[in-house]
Amino acid sequence: QVQLVESGGGLVQAGGSLRLSCAASGRTRSSYRMGWFRQAPGVEREFVAAISWSGTSTYYADSVKGRFTISRDNAKNTVYLQMNSLKPEDTAVYYCAARPESRREYEYWGQGTQVTVSS
């Protein structure tokens, strides 16, 4: 089992920045791919970004490319999402997720952190 706890959400004006953190605990010795997802009211949850266990491969949704950066510090069991040039449409609850590199579905999810971008 892996427990994930997100932090760093909040209220920011359009054009501003936030950095989300996701701390993992439990069975963290396995090779997990980490991802960020988000869900706005009335909208299905969508993929935002992901990073491989080694950190050498990163993936982004088109809507955030060039603005968001995902990174990880395996020594701290923490993954980050640096969000720059935020837009009102980035407003959502952001979730951290983990899956073994050998699996296709994310198995572990955090509780989420709210990000609100005002215009």
Side-chain angles (χ1 to χ4, degrees):
Q1 287 283 358
V2 175
Q3 293 78 45
L4 304 172
V5 178
E6 303 97 334
S7 61
L11 173 64
V12 64
Q13 288 189 331
S17 298
L18 281 174
R19 188 176 83 153
L20 305 183
S21 298
C22 173
S25 61
R27 196 176 175 181
T28 57
R29 288 190 176 184
S30 298
S31 301
Y32 286 100
R33 175 167 299 199
M34 302 296 294
W36 287 97
F37 293 76
R38 67 186 181 187
Q39 186 168 23
V43 179
E44 288 189 359
R45 186 165 56 192
E46 63 174 356
F47 168 78
V48 175
I51 187 167
S52 62
W53 163 252
S54 64
T56 56
S57 298
T58 56
Y59 312 87
Y60 297 95
D62 288 343
S63 58
V64 307
K65 276 182 184 175
R67 299 188 298 122
F68 291 11
T69 302
I70 189 170
S71 62
R72 67 190 298 163
D73 184 340
N74 287 342
K76 296 181 178 180
N77 293 323
T78 301
V79 63
Y80 306 97
L81 185 68
Q82 178 67 43
M83 306 186 295
N84 299 328
S85 303
L86 283 162
K87 305 175 182 180
E89 51 263 43
D90 294 319
T91 295
V93 177
Y94 283 70
Y95 298 91
C96 176
R99 68 167 173 87
E101 286 282 10
S102 59
R103 304 282 177 86
R104 302 187 69 175
E105 298 294 327
Y106 284 85
E107 298 185 355
Y108 305 102
W109 295 84
Q111 293 296 313
T113 184
Q114 176 71 47
V115 171
T116 303
V117 184
S118 63
S119 57

